[in-house]
Amino acid sequence: MTTAFRARARAVLLALLAVLLAPAAPAARAAENGEWSVYPAASELGSRPYFYLTAEPGATLTDRITIGNKTAAPLTFRLYAADAYNTERDGGFAVRAPDEDQRGIGAWARPERERVTVPPRGSVTVGYALTVPEGAEPGDHPGALVALDERVGRTGGNVALGVQQAVGARVYLRVKGPAVPALSVEDVTLSQDRPLLPGAGESSAVISYTLHNRGNVTLNPEVALKAEGLFGRDLLARELQKVPSELLPRQKIRLTERWRGSPQADWGEIRLTATAKDVRESAAVSFFALPWLLAAAVAVLLGGGGAWGRARLKARARAR
């Protein structure tokens, strides 16, 4: 694989991560990027923004997807099905590139046409079939039907990269069988930034944690942060905002939360509690906060005391 090809492939993937797969919202609307839109075929544009499907293992479903061209020139697209996942950056809904391994929707759904040209200001509707394997795991299998623009744009700068854009209509497929919601909060860590002297500046802390959907259904998690100091004093309690609206099955994401004005001198615990429908899990990490200069002085005293104690023990041993 040449360097140019790898660069182009990566650019395609990055474009797909930013695909305008219409964000989950109460208002129904088609996925679009200003030039073209992709949506389930319906009598009224936007009245059916996503595909919501339910099937038994071994069943075949058929449906139709519409690609609308909003420009004054014809556009040609490659149509393909893709698995969905949560991005590492913010947990957003994203889809696999066409050359990536597909195991769910991307492997089970096939458009009737892999290439379509849409006339200016017009639209084209294409049928597709989705065959669920006999041994498919019960639960949710999210994905999308994607229209990938065949045009290759160029980025600016010293290194020219080929970029293709794509828009996809989300597919929410549930395979019948036991639904098992499971959520965990894992690997909670704390990084503290404190001034050298008490009161000499503002302190802050960064709390990092992993949110893991261990079940087979999509969850809409909420996370609460609580910090307690010495003797159980309440230091902080808040509902976190930087949490994905959808955490897909078997996905995990690493999230961070900044705590401004964290204690400069205290000892306590930080606890994160994640909740979703039928699940509630929590995890905690202890913290010990001292201004850096004071902490260094304590360390020196402890180190000196330890050395003095060891010397006394050796002296006693020689005296015997």
Side-chain angles (χ1 to χ4, degrees):
M1 182 183 293
T2 65
T3 301
F5 182 84
R6 285 196 301 270
R8 179 177 174 182
R10 178 171 175 77
V12 169
L13 177 58
L14 291 176
L16 283 169
L17 293 180
V19 168
L20 295 176
L21 293 151
R29 60 191 180 90
E32 62 166 290
N33 66 354
E35 294 188 4
W36 70 94
S37 57
V38 182
Y39 51 94
S43 58
E44 182 181 350
L45 175 63
S47 64
R48 186 187 175 206
Y50 315 132
F51 292 99
Y52 294 100
L53 309 173
T54 302
E56 299 274 2
T60 295
L61 307 177
T62 58
D63 211 320
R64 298 185 303 157
I65 186 170
T66 299
I67 303 95
N69 180 0
K70 299 188 172 187
T71 73
L75 296 176
T76 299
F77 301 98
R78 175 183 174 182
L79 301 183
Y80 76 99
D83 296 345
Y85 65 98
N86 290 105
T87 63
E88 293 183 4
R89 181 175 62 87
D90 59 4
F93 187 104
V95 298
R96 303 291 178 193
D99 57 348
E100 288 188 277
D101 185 29
Q102 312 279 358
R103 299 184 178 182
I105 295 296
W108 303 345
R110 288 289 179 270
E112 291 178 351
R113 298 157 61 183
E114 293 187 356
R115 187 173 181 271
V116 60
T117 298
V118 184
R121 314 292 183 191
S123 64
V124 171
T125 297
V126 178
Y128 73 91
L130 191 159
T131 300
V132 182
E134 289 286 353
E137 180 183 352
D140 293 340
H141 297 268
L145 290 166
V146 183
L148 175 64
D149 189 0
E150 288 199 337
R151 297 172 299 175
V152 179
R154 296 293 176 184
T155 62
N158 296 328
V159 179
L161 294 177
V163 179
Q164 289 178 278
Q165 296 186 59
V167 174
R170 297 187 186 189
V171 179
Y172 292 97
L173 170 68
R174 172 158 291 190
V175 176
K176 292 183 178 180
V180 183
L183 179 67
S184 64
V185 182
E186 302 168 354
D187 192 22
V188 182
T189 62
L190 180 70
S191 174
Q192 301 182 71
D193 183 11
R194 302 183 300 276
L196 286 175
L197 294 171
E202 186 181 46
S203 60
S204 67
V206 174
I207 302 147
S208 301
Y209 65 101
T210 296
L211 203 57
H212 187 187
N213 183 346
R214 298 181 290 105
N216 65 357
V217 294
T218 299
L219 299 175
N220 309 112
E222 296 179 352
V223 180
L225 168 63
K226 184 177 179 62
E228 293 184 347
L230 201 59
F231 308 117
R233 292 179 302 108
D234 289 336
L235 301 176
L236 177 69
R238 71 168 65 144
E239 297 291 328
L240 303 190
Q241 302 300 313
K242 298 177 182 179
V243 179
S245 59
E246 294 178 302
L247 187 58
L248 305 181
R250 297 166 294 278
Q251 294 288 300
K252 63 170 66 177
I253 55 172
R254 188 73 176 164
L255 300 169
T256 61
E257 181 73 14
R258 182 170 289 279
W259 179 10
R260 298 189 183 279
S262 59
Q264 297 186 12
D266 211 330
W267 185 10
E269 179 184 82
I270 294 170
R271 180 167 295 274
L272 291 158
T273 302
T275 57
K277 185 178 180 180
D278 300 326
V279 291
R280 179 184 178 89
E281 295 292 338
S282 64
V285 61
S286 298
F287 72 89
F288 180 63
L290 278 179
W292 292 120
L293 196 59
L294 182 56
V298 170
V300 169
L301 288 174
L302 290 176
W308 180 80
R310 287 192 296 272
R312 291 278 297 174
L313 288 174
K314 289 180 180 179
R316 288 179 182 177
R318 285 195 297 269
R320 291 175 186 172

